[in-house]
Amino acid sequence: MSKIKPSKGAPYARILGVGGYRPTRVVPNEVILETIDSSDEWIRSRSGIVTRHWASEEETVAMMSIEASGKAIADAGIDPEQIGAVVVSTVSHFKQTPAVATEIAHKIGSGKPAAFDISAGCAGFGYGLTLAKGMIVEGSAEYVLVIGVERLSDLTDLEDRATAFLFGDGAGAVVVGPSQEPAIGPTVWGSEGDKSETIKQTVSWNELHIGDVSRLPLDSKGEIKFPAITQEGQAVFRWAVYEMAKVAQQALDAAGISSEDLDVFIPHQANMRIIDSMVKTLKLPEHVTVARDIESTGNTSAASIPLAMERLLATGQAKSGDTALVIGFGAGLVYAATVVTLP
């Protein structure tokens, strides 16, 4: 018989507050067209993107996260000292160690919480949310700060016609805390590693370190390109539309609700055509508000869901207490979907 005492956590967990940060520089498609042979009409029709935000030198991963976190903590109505864990999802913090979560935890004044980074690409927010829920129910933290943050402009090949227009920068954060009723449903998540080559970094940091020009991509000037994100667009599109619609339906089923019970749909902001196709495949009713933040924010990977959530609430398109389906999917290929009650 075990001598270990049972954990004493909350019965359930919920999102209590949300905050976002978008860099001050707004980049229209015209700027992208300076380096690729395309048109504004083509970019809009293929992706739905009109503008995106790119970070300045001062708008670091940590700085953007701290700004978003401050808003989320204020929105939750708690003190920073009450944060028991900080989880940061990002692929664009270029220091291997220490985790940027530790710097963020210190600078927001949260004391000595658990703090760590995760790398789950565009599904990272869903992964972080699931970890936060587990900590609260298990009792290892009362409040958890979950951050999705990216500076994808640092990983964008501006000469790649297939991806140059896609990516943006920003940070979104939520505070997850205890609840007396279910407010974060079961997570449907997973990975398909056999498709890992469809979204990837062009070269590894080690290859760049070695500096063997014969193994590295070169730009139009013959200079070595910095590692960037590349993808097989059609393969990713088909996977997202058909397979992720199934995952979204599984999340609804796991939560015990139907599409008729939904108020809001917040998918990863990867591509407007993907979003519209998922809405059609899921047969979402007209009353469901659909996040289409990609038009003005671009694809911000792990930051896209909390940023879209924050904008919907701030503009009144969604309201506190609404039932929302969130789903993230991307490099890996990985995915995570769940139903939540909006803060």
Side-chain angles (χ1 to χ4, degrees):
M1 184 174 181
S2 175
K3 297 179 180 180
I4 300 172
K5 293 181 179 180
S7 299
K8 294 182 178 180
Y12 305 104
R14 69 178 299 131
I15 300 174
L16 299 174
V18 60
Y21 180 85
R22 292 173 172 80
T24 54
R25 183 187 177 192
V26 177
V27 180
N29 289 337
E30 286 72 20
V31 172
I32 307 299
L33 297 175
E34 294 173 4
T35 52
I36 61 171
D37 180 16
S38 188
S39 68
D40 177 61
E41 180 184 4
W42 188 89
I43 293 174
R44 292 190 189 212
S45 65
R46 292 285 175 155
S47 68
I49 299 172
V50 179
T51 60
R52 74 285 290 146
H53 295 257
W54 282 356
S56 65
E57 186 176 347
E58 293 76 24
E59 291 169 316
T60 63
V61 164
M63 176 270 187
M64 292 190 293
S65 297
I66 291 165
E67 291 293 322
S69 298
K71 296 174 183 177
I73 292 169
D75 192 42
I78 66 169
D79 295 323
E81 294 87 352
Q82 293 177 270
I83 298 293
V86 177
V87 183
V88 178
S89 178
T90 185
V91 298
S92 47
H93 173 59
F94 295 152
K95 267 189 179 178
Q96 195 71 35
T97 192
V100 71
T102 59
E103 177 185 351
I104 295 164
H106 170 67
K107 290 185 176 178
I108 64 174
S110 61
K112 299 179 180 180
F116 57 94
D117 299 350
I118 60 175
S119 177
C122 306
F125 175 75
Y127 275 50
L129 189 64
T130 303
L131 293 173
K133 174 186 173 182
M135 286 184 241
I136 291 159
V137 173
E138 186 270 339
S140 59
E142 185 176 12
Y143 298 99
V144 180
L145 179 64
V146 179
I147 303 165
V149 57
E150 301 293 2
R151 274 182 54 122
L152 294 183
S153 58
D154 292 336
L155 286 168
T156 299
D157 180 355
L158 294 177
E159 295 182 347
D160 181 358
R161 189 173 183 271
T163 61
F165 58 89
L166 284 176
F167 303 119
D169 303 335
V174 298
V175 172
V176 183
S179 174
Q180 294 303 308
E181 60 182 15
I184 301 175
T187 300
V188 178
W189 58 353
S191 64
E192 298 185 33
D194 60 313
K195 300 180 180 66
S196 61
E197 291 294 302
T198 56
I199 306 175
K200 63 180 181 179
Q201 186 171 303
T202 49
V203 294
S204 71
W205 300 114
N206 188 53
E207 288 174 305
L208 185 68
H209 174 68
I210 294 171
D212 182 354
V213 177
S214 66
R215 298 166 60 185
L216 298 172
L218 306 177
D219 63 19
S220 57
K221 298 178 182 178
E223 298 175 350
I224 294 174
K225 286 185 177 182
F226 192 74
I229 298 172
T230 185
Q231 68 176 26
E232 298 174 16
Q234 288 302 315
V236 172
F237 181 88
R238 288 192 298 270
W239 176 77
V241 169
Y242 299 110
E243 297 304 319
M244 291 305 97
K246 296 176 186 176
V247 170
Q249 184 60 56
Q250 289 169 13
L252 291 174
D253 296 341
I257 68 172
S258 70
S259 58
E260 291 290 338
D261 300 312
L262 271 184
D263 300 303
V264 185
F265 179 44
I266 311 177
H268 164 49
Q269 303 293 293
N271 180 299
M272 193 74 81
R273 292 167 63 210
I274 290 174
I275 294 171
D276 290 341
S277 295
M278 289 183 72
V279 168
K280 183 177 180 180
T281 302
L282 287 167
K283 298 179 181 178
L284 295 184
E286 289 188 7
H287 74 261
V288 176
T289 297
V290 179
R292 291 188 170 87
D293 194 42
I294 188 170
E295 181 179 5
S296 59
T297 307
N299 180 342
T300 55
S301 189
S304 79
I305 290 175
L307 278 174
M309 182 184 296
E310 185 262 351
R311 175 162 279 172
L312 289 176
L313 289 166
T315 58
Q317 297 176 72
K319 63 183 184 300
S320 175
D322 278 352
T323 300
L325 168 63
V326 299
I327 179 170
F329 45 87
L333 294 170
V334 296
Y335 55 88
T338 188
V339 175
V340 304
T341 300
L342 293 183

